[in-house]
Amino acid sequence: MSNEAPTENRTEPQRKGTAGTDGGGGALPPAYDHRDVEARWYRTWKERGYFHADERDHARPPFSIVLPPPNVTGSLHLGHALTATLQDVLTRWKRMSGFEALWLPGTDHAGIATQMIVEKELLKTEKKSRHDLGRAEFLKRVWSWKEKYGSRIGEQHEALGASLDWERERFTMDEGLSRAVREVFVRLHEEGLVYRAERLINWCPRCHTALSDLEVTYEEGHRGELWSFAYPLAGAIDGGPREIVVATTRPETMLGDTAVAVHPDDERYRALVGKKVVHPLADRELPVIADAILVDPKFGTGAVKVTPAHDFNDFEVGKRHGLEMLTVIDPDGKMNASAGPVAGLDRFEARKKVKELLAAKGLDRGSQPHLLPLGKCQRCETVLEPLLSRQWFVRIEPLARPAVEAVEQGKTRFIPEQWTNTYMAWMRNIHDWCISRQLWWGHQIPAWYCPDGHVTVARTAPPTCGTCGKGDLRQDEDVLDTWFSSALWPFSTMGWPEDTETLRTFYPTSVMETGHDIIFFWVARMMMMGIHFMGEVPFRVVYLHPMVRDEKGQKMSKTKGNVIDPLVITEQYGADALRFTLAALTAQGRDIKLAKERIEGYRAFANKLWNATRFALMNLVDVTYGQEDPGALARSPADRWILARLQRAVRSTVEALEGYRFNDAASTVYQFVWHELCDWYIELSKEALYGDEPASKREAQAVLTHCLETSLRLLHPFMPFITEELWQTLQAQVGARWGESIMLAGYPKPGTPDEVAERSFGPVIGIVDALRNIRGEMNIPFKVVLRDVQVGGLSEEALATLRSETARVVRLANVEGFTLSGTPTRKVPGSAVAVGSGFEVRVPLTGVVDMAAENARIEKELARLDGDLAGLSKKLSNPSFVERAPKEVVEKDRARAEELREKRVRLLAHRDMLVEAASADGVASSSSAPSPPTATPTATEPPTSSAKGGQRGTSPRATDPATNVKVQAKPAAKRKQSRGAGRDPAKKKQSRSAGARPPPRGRQKITAQAANKATKTKPAKKAVARKSLTRIPPKRTSSRKSSPRKTALKKPAAKKRAPKGRSKG
RNA sequence: GGGCGGAUAGCUCAGCGGUAGAGCAUCGCCCUUACAAGGCGAGGGUCGCAGGUUCGAAACCUGCUCCGCCCACCA
């Protein structure tokens, strides 16, 4: 993993003033300030060309990602920050792992969005419309706007630490990409896949342009009305019907009606089919037609007005029946001259007017409220109007089919997988794509018209008409849908249509990382275009990240004003903290609700890392750390343990990254660094580091350095800045030559964790936890040294470790060992005890604390134990379980039950000693313990609850033998009941209070136990478990998807028991 | 009208067939010579509801209720 440092004269960035005032050699200030670090390192990396990927380097396997191009005129929001973070994590990780990693940046011209921004600005500053300026002049303005603001995106990415290959930055309207766009358009046209036709399209009366189906946002549940009116029958027959009633949500369109449709099987209207109705507001008659597709006889009156030019369904009907397509609404959303009495009115005004006019003629047939979806412009939210218009389309089916097949064949994989269905469903039911837009900003369609109206499609302006040879050609004024050029992004940015080395090396890209909101807009279209023009899918994996929402779960949007600027966060907490937060929150399948507290937490993590390194620096004075293998050097249990844990962390992290489980990767590193390296190892290492035993010291120094250095590399993709800073500092301090940048260092490789080391250190951790718990619960200040501590169940080695390395952690003195199965070497009445699986600790507390407190503590412990034991016993006594459950499971439970029983025996023995001691000394209980009875020989059994006046009276002695039996009996006590018992508002009180159950007077022992049990129930495990987590290294950390190995580990020490020695045992 | 996702500790979320977890917040004790952006300890959960499958369900199945999103041409 170590890379040599090729250049000795590294141009290391100047570090800000170093305050080396602290005792050690540490040159770091006591708190991490990202502002000192981030910009400096980014500049350095960029200058040194670390971000650049070499397409000619075939020694390293290629890895490539193209950045989803943000809108040029835009500004990054948190969604972009998320994208940038995840892609940078992948890129840096792969780059460190030996790949030639390309991350290609660029921006999108964003047709409508950009044009609108500039138009708005123009109106504001100069009170002019784009038409006042003219096309050429307006475009000039847009370009200058782009020049002015387009760099903002880049700066924001830099602030985030994105290792983008800036040398390859592209813009969808730059010359190269424009050429690719024309090439694609022309080729598709030649293949008959691009055509021009008059169709009904979605039209935005405000943006004044056609839109694709996708750009329509349907707003659900719009409250409208379904208004009915009558069409009088022409030449009504005597005695027959005189009219046909139809319903509509858009009365104004009736002026464009050219038929009335009924269902062919509808008896009510059968006789009327083929007849005519009279249009009440226009001088014409409409045929009554029969159409089984359009009409649902059960809806409304069963008769439908047909407006082919303003409704998608009706348009189809019109085609089927050869109806006239009468347009009555103009592109501004106003009624046109064909609208007769309402001509010139806005469409919504016309709606009212039409109703009035028809009502005046006695044709109003009432209305009813109606919920309907309203199609609005994605961009300006104006209600769209279906209009008949001549536009350019892409015939999509031939392109979609291969794109579907590619996914079916696994050439491209979606993560999370569920999106595959979404993609497939859309692709299989796709409509032709309207690609022309009546805008100015964009790729002007490469089609030219001669005076006779012939169309010539060409890559460059043709001198003469391709059909008739005439000159004086005029280019199509429309531009292409922005997504048209976006669809080419993976290959147009790499030089297509040229056959470039870059394309050969980096296409297909490795991963497309983007939001699921643009699967259709972008991902699907890239798939189609990529396959069609490159003959290969554009990416092997599509990773769809979650949406970032505000802390209330709302989508961030400018209109809601809840958009968070990543730069603000970055300045406040640091890019590393933001990045780590985003990665840690990125789980598959759930949106991200970002709360500031979370970011603060990870900023603290950065600070923790900073200080851990600072600690190391202070203790690595006069040390050179070469190439020794710390694994070979490490002899002490703690050293071997942390190295094993490191291995495991590396492995989990890499596995998580490989599975795109960013949250798992982040939390694994977090857990290791903070709770294992810092909380445990650094504390343990102090003994050796501060001591004067050279070999131990050297060993600890090497191990500490190794763990830190590896952690920094492990963490680098997530927190690039601070890791570089610390890595460099550490490197300089120990005089190593790891390399010129952590960016170029190798990513840690998963090794095989030393399970023996993990296992053998487990009891030590368990004992320390137990001792801390005793201190905590009994309020023994850290200053007070625990003397004459007896420890049972530890090997000599472990005992030595406890004596030497943990003395400072829990402050012990005179630790003695004893054989667990035997009698304590020295009986210490009045001591606190902690019983764990495979170990036991006794801490003499006479004179230190009130023994009543200890008694209470033990009772609590016992109760928990009983609860657990009861559950287990019940399970094990169930014949079906024993017979049908897998043998391993049964065995496991048996072993556990055995352990618990053993613990129980020992705990009871301890309690008895307490009782003896109490009776002997006549200890006065006063302080903490709620149950004075402790002191009383007889009343040993203050069932925790105490205050409540629980029952007591178990005879300590009797317990032993009874123990096991008892346990069995326990089940009787219902946990639920016990729970219900507590009526105290305070929850904790509740669970504790034994009172609820009526004590069976008869048998005292049972009673006591029942009480215990009641007390116990749930709280028991909780507490226990919790501890185990943090503390117990073996189990917790590995947690998640750990490898099979893990399981193996747990059995011995670790797992549940180790943690809190005492509580759960 | 279809489809998808979510519902687990006060908050934000992991877990997804074998004894309920993290971070933050809360409470208590500590300025223990890397870190108070800290250390140690503790408390806190009928895993949305109802059925079912199973020796065993937070996890699998069915139904339901709430949130959120996507798709859809019922006038």
Side-chain angles (χ1 to χ4, degrees):
Chain A
M1 43 197 81
S2 55
N3 300 357
E4 30 255 284
T7 54
E8 190 41 49
N9 58 333
R10 56 173 99 83
T11 48
E12 200 151 308
Q14 274 315 91
R15 219 160 267 126
K16 180 182 160 177
T18 56
T21 49
D22 31 29
L28 301 178
Y32 173 54
D33 185 350
H34 59 272
R35 278 164 297 210
D36 289 347
V37 173
E38 298 185 346
R40 165 162 51 82
W41 275 114
Y42 196 90
R43 207 180 317 120
T44 304
W45 292 330
K46 194 174 172 183
E47 283 167 9
R48 293 184 188 171
Y50 292 163
F51 303 154
H52 183 63
D54 184 354
E55 68 274 15
R56 292 158 306 185
D57 181 354
H58 297 301
R60 291 155 64 90
F63 176 84
S64 53
I65 297 182
V66 289
L67 177 77
N71 295 356
V72 242
T73 59
S75 175
L76 294 196
H77 57 241
L78 277 172
H80 292 115
L82 176 65
T83 278
T85 296
L86 300 184
Q87 288 172 36
D88 199 34
V89 166
L90 292 173
T91 303
R92 285 179 185 268
W93 165 49
K94 286 295 182 178
R95 189 185 287 124
M96 289 173 77
S97 298
F99 289 78
E100 189 61 28
L102 166 64
W103 186 18
L104 197 157
T107 46
D108 192 285
H109 67 281
I112 300 184
T114 302
Q115 178 167 319
M116 280 176 64
I117 289 176
V118 178
E119 281 185 292
K120 203 166 152 191
E121 178 70 14
L122 192 62
L123 187 65
K124 197 170 139 196
T125 59
E126 304 178 35
K127 302 261 188 278
K128 286 181 182 168
S129 77
R130 71 181 207 253
H131 300 284
D132 294 332
L133 293 187
R135 184 165 188 147
E137 179 57 25
F138 177 74
L139 286 180
K140 245 199 250 175
R141 299 293 184 95
V142 183
W143 275 105
S144 75
W145 179 277
K146 184 254 174 191
E147 295 311 323
K148 189 169 168 191
Y149 296 102
S151 58
R152 195 167 39 173
I153 300 290
E155 289 157 11
Q156 287 174 307
H157 274 119
E158 297 196 353
L160 286 167
S163 61
L164 288 157
D165 187 350
W166 293 111
E167 295 172 41
R168 299 178 190 272
E169 182 174 11
R170 303 306 296 266
F171 174 52
T172 48
M173 277 184 48
D174 66 27
E175 184 42 45
L177 269 60
S178 296
R179 185 180 159 208
V181 166
R182 289 193 300 271
E183 183 68 26
V184 164
F185 186 92
V186 172
R187 280 202 211 173
L188 287 176
H189 182 258
E190 288 167 354
E191 297 170 48
L193 296 179
V194 152
Y195 64 93
R196 191 163 178 255
E198 182 161 54
R199 291 264 190 90
L200 200 56
I201 46 86
N202 291 295
W203 179 269
C204 176
R206 179 165 163 199
C207 298
H208 252 252
T209 180
L211 299 173
S212 69
D213 296 346
L214 281 178
E215 286 162 298
V216 180
T217 303
Y218 286 97
E219 191 175 281
E220 305 230 3
H222 183 266
R223 286 177 46 211
E225 70 169 353
L226 188 59
W227 184 74
S228 299
F229 68 94
Y231 266 119
L233 272 171
I237 313 158
D238 269 359
R242 311 186 58 82
E243 62 184 36
I244 296 182
V245 177
V246 296
T248 179
T249 53
R250 304 177 57 205
E252 73 280 13
T253 63
M254 66 85 63
L255 289 157
D257 285 359
T258 54
V260 169
V262 297
H263 192 91
D265 300 335
D266 194 331
E267 293 300 335
R268 295 173 294 176
Y269 300 112
R270 177 159 296 183
L272 301 181
V273 174
K275 300 275 197 289
K276 307 238 173 187
V277 295
V278 178
H279 193 117
L281 302 181
D283 184 18
R284 63 178 199 271
E285 295 187 336
L286 320 178
V288 176
I289 60 172
D291 192 285
I293 299 175
L294 176 75
V295 182
D296 171 2
K298 290 190 288 291
F299 186 92
T301 60
V304 185
K305 62 190 272 303
V306 181
T307 322
H310 292 288
D311 182 280
F312 289 97
N313 288 318
D314 295 359
F315 178 72
E316 295 302 321
V317 175
K319 284 203 293 188
R320 282 197 292 274
H321 295 270
L323 300 175
E324 186 192 350
M325 312 246 171
L326 180 60
T327 295
V328 292
I329 302 175
D330 72 17
D332 284 320
K334 290 196 174 118
M335 307 308 289
N336 68 14
S338 303
V342 294
L345 289 183
D346 175 81
R347 52 190 165 149
F348 298 114
E349 290 300 318
R351 182 169 300 175
K352 291 182 204 155
K353 186 72 177 175
V354 164
K355 285 168 67 177
E356 287 169 17
L357 292 172
L358 289 174
K361 288 180 184 272
L363 298 171
D364 184 340
R365 292 296 176 272
S367 72
Q368 61 187 83
H370 186 69
L371 290 183
L372 73 161
L374 259 195
K376 294 188 170 180
C377 175
Q378 184 192 45
R379 203 40 73 181
C380 72
E381 300 194 338
T382 297
V383 176
L384 296 179
E385 196 59 46
L387 278 192
L388 207 50
S389 170
R390 186 170 291 278
Q391 303 287 343
W392 289 92
F393 295 86
V394 171
R395 199 150 74 82
I396 214 77
E397 199 278 336
L399 296 170
R401 206 180 333 110
V404 166
E405 287 165 3
V407 173
E408 283 171 343
Q409 293 162 8
K411 290 178 181 166
T412 293
R413 189 165 55 101
F414 282 83
I415 300 176
E417 218 177 327
Q418 54 187 98
W419 294 112
T420 310
N421 292 333
T422 304
Y423 168 87
M424 289 295 192
W426 189 73
M427 287 295 258
R428 285 175 173 146
N429 190 26
I430 196 169
H431 299 333
D432 282 0
W433 177 14
C434 176
I435 52 171
S436 44
R437 298 288 179 275
Q438 288 64 53
L439 306 171
W440 287 352
W441 176 241
H443 299 99
Q444 197 167 347
I445 292 175
W448 284 262
Y449 304 95
C450 73
D452 291 350
H454 300 128
V455 184
T456 304
V457 170
R459 289 167 181 78
T460 54
T464 56
C465 173
T467 304
C468 65
K470 287 190 181 158
D472 194 19
L473 303 185
R474 183 177 49 81
Q475 185 172 4
D476 193 312
E477 296 200 345
D478 293 350
V479 299
L480 290 166
D481 181 358
T482 298
W483 294 102
F484 190 87
S485 54
S486 307
L488 320 180
W489 190 249
F491 53 93
S492 65
T493 51
M494 293 191 192
W496 193 89
E498 301 296 320
D499 178 20
T500 64
E501 187 70 21
T502 300
L503 274 173
R504 285 195 296 269
T505 302
F506 293 114
Y507 188 97
T509 61
S510 312
V511 185
M512 167 48 57
E513 194 285 335
T514 189
H516 57 72
D517 53 336
I518 52 177
I519 290 183
F520 306 144
F521 278 110
W522 198 41
V523 176
R525 286 161 177 171
M526 282 189 288
M527 283 290 285
M528 293 189 276
M529 293 299 192
I531 291 170
H532 192 74
F533 288 99
M534 293 297 297
E536 178 59 284
V537 295
F539 24 73
R540 316 246 76 129
V541 167
V542 178
Y543 175 82
L544 295 159
H545 64 232
M547 298 286 107
V548 181
R549 299 170 181 280
D550 67 12
E551 62 264 70
K552 282 177 277 183
Q554 293 193 306
K555 201 166 178 173
M556 292 192 188
S557 72
K558 278 173 216 149
T559 48
K560 279 189 201 142
N562 59 348
V563 175
I564 298 178
D565 182 351
L567 279 192
V568 172
I569 301 275
T570 291
E571 267 169 46
Q572 191 175 358
Y573 302 102
D576 287 335
L578 174 60
R579 291 170 57 115
F580 199 88
T581 305
L582 291 171
L585 291 174
T586 299
Q588 293 175 18
R590 190 193 286 238
D591 288 348
I592 295 176
K593 276 186 227 169
L594 191 65
K596 265 198 176 144
E597 294 72 35
R598 202 73 190 239
I599 306 173
E600 283 168 10
Y602 290 120
R603 177 187 56 175
F605 177 55
N607 193 54
K608 190 74 181 173
L609 186 69
W610 177 265
N611 274 287
T613 306
R614 181 161 171 265
F615 167 80
L617 295 175
M618 293 163 78
N619 290 284
L620 294 172
V621 193
D622 300 329
V623 168
T624 47
Y625 175 67
Q627 302 298 323
E628 300 97 322
D629 174 7
L633 200 62
R635 308 219 57 252
S636 89
D639 286 341
R640 292 199 316 250
W641 172 79
I642 193 65
L643 289 174
R645 299 306 302 160
L646 174 64
Q647 283 304 322
R648 197 170 289 288
V650 168
R651 186 152 80 180
S652 304
T653 304
V654 171
E655 282 174 1
L657 284 172
E658 282 169 347
Y660 296 89
R661 287 178 286 111
F662 296 96
N663 58 331
D664 283 351
S667 63
T668 296
V669 184
Y670 178 93
Q671 176 70 25
F672 172 75
V673 169
W674 199 317
H675 298 303
E676 296 192 336
L677 186 58
C678 291
D679 285 354
W680 276 98
Y681 184 71
I682 285 187
E683 292 309 319
L684 293 174
S685 72
K686 287 175 181 174
E687 197 64 24
L689 292 174
Y690 295 170
D692 44 13
E693 210 283 291
S696 303
K697 194 166 185 168
R698 163 126 198 85
E699 175 184 328
Q701 287 171 332
V703 171
L704 175 59
T705 306
H706 174 75
C707 287
L708 253 186
E709 194 272 335
T710 306
S711 297
L712 291 171
R713 280 184 286 126
L714 201 58
L715 196 49
H716 180 258
F718 299 90
M719 296 187 142
F721 295 116
I722 189 173
T723 51
E724 175 78 291
E725 175 76 2
L726 295 177
W727 193 79
Q728 296 287 358
T729 308
L730 195 59
Q731 172 172 247
Q733 172 90 359
V734 300
R737 299 228 231 127
W738 296 329
E740 60 183 68
S741 167
I742 193 173
M743 272 190 70
L744 308 180
Y747 200 69
K749 289 188 177 60
T752 307
D754 179 352
E755 294 177 22
V756 175
E758 285 180 304
R759 205 153 40 205
S760 61
F761 199 68
V764 175
I765 288 175
I767 287 176
V768 170
D769 274 338
L771 292 169
R772 280 175 172 166
N773 179 264
I774 290 174
R775 269 187 190 282
E777 294 217 341
M778 320 230 14
N779 282 332
I780 305 170
F782 191 76
K783 286 163 279 216
V784 177
V785 175
L786 302 178
R787 301 184 181 283
D788 303 319
V789 172
Q790 293 186 14
V791 174
L794 283 197
S795 65
E796 271 310 311
E797 189 186 39
L799 202 52
T801 300
L802 193 66
R803 285 201 180 101
S804 65
E805 300 199 76
T806 63
R808 129 183 352 255
V809 175
V810 281
R811 290 235 175 151
L812 305 176
N814 306 332
V815 176
E816 282 180 34
F818 66 90
T819 307
L820 205 51
S821 52
T823 331
T825 44
R826 188 154 43 113
K827 194 158 185 180
V828 189
S831 60
V833 74
V835 173
S837 297
F839 66 83
E840 179 174 332
V841 198
R842 292 172 187 266
V843 186
L845 295 177
T846 312
V848 177
V849 297
D850 182 349
M851 288 314 297
E854 169 64 0
N855 198 337
R857 199 178 65 84
I858 293 298
E859 286 305 336
K860 188 165 103 182
E861 196 56 45
L862 264 177
R864 288 182 177 176
L865 234 185
D866 285 350
D868 287 356
L869 212 36
L872 265 181
S873 296
K874 182 177 174 188
K875 202 168 167 188
L876 287 167
S877 61
N878 176 352
S880 346
F881 171 69
V882 180
E883 285 163 25
R884 307 199 193 184
K887 198 155 285 172
E888 314 86 72
V889 175
V890 177
E891 273 320 302
K892 207 176 111 195
D893 282 351
R894 282 211 172 106
R896 211 175 92 76
E898 202 38 56
E899 284 172 12
L900 293 185
R901 286 196 191 98
E902 201 184 305
K903 260 192 244 177
R904 195 183 138 81
V905 170
R906 276 188 267 130
L907 263 183
L908 288 169
H910 174 65
R911 188 182 60 183
D912 291 350
M913 273 195 307
L914 278 180
V915 175
E916 281 176 20
S919 59
D921 318 342
V923 174
S925 63
S926 51
S927 60
S928 50
S931 55
T934 313
T936 319
T938 48
T940 44
E941 191 52 8
T944 68
S945 74
S946 65
K948 269 213 152 157
Q951 48 310 60
R952 66 219 12 199
T954 293
S955 94
R957 284 293 138 55
T959 22
D960 267 25
T963 306
N964 299 322
V965 181
K966 233 79 143 269
V967 177
Q968 240 89 329
K970 252 109 186 240
K974 227 353 189 165
R975 0 186 104 187
K976 268 108 208 248
Q977 296 178 320
S978 65
R979 173 165 312 155
R983 48 232 28 189
D984 284 17
K987 319 121 172 252
K988 55 170 49 184
K989 244 65 189 170
Q990 297 181 338
S991 51
R992 290 289 150 71
S993 70
R997 292 199 105 239
R1001 287 286 154 133
R1003 314 168 255 154
Q1004 301 196 328
K1005 307 171 179 188
I1006 303 276
T1007 307
Q1009 295 199 346
N1012 285 341
K1013 159 162 278 129
T1015 3
K1016 241 35 284 160
T1017 73
K1018 42 194 58 172
K1021 27 187 83 174
K1022 202 138 290 190
V1024 176
R1026 131 159 337 137
K1027 232 60 164 283
S1028 51
L1029 277 199
T1030 14
R1031 224 43 349 118
I1032 287 325
K1035 118 182 265 141
R1036 197 321 148 296
T1037 322
S1038 30
S1039 65
R1040 254 152 257 229
K1041 247 65 216 258
S1042 64
S1043 50
R1045 254 153 215 145
K1046 197 160 302 156
T1047 359
L1049 291 191
K1050 341 188 145 173
K1051 47 175 180 205
K1055 207 58 203 277
K1056 320 260 148 132
R1057 50 235 15 215
K1060 206 52 179 216
R1062 53 71 106 133
S1063 61
K1064 118 94 53 348

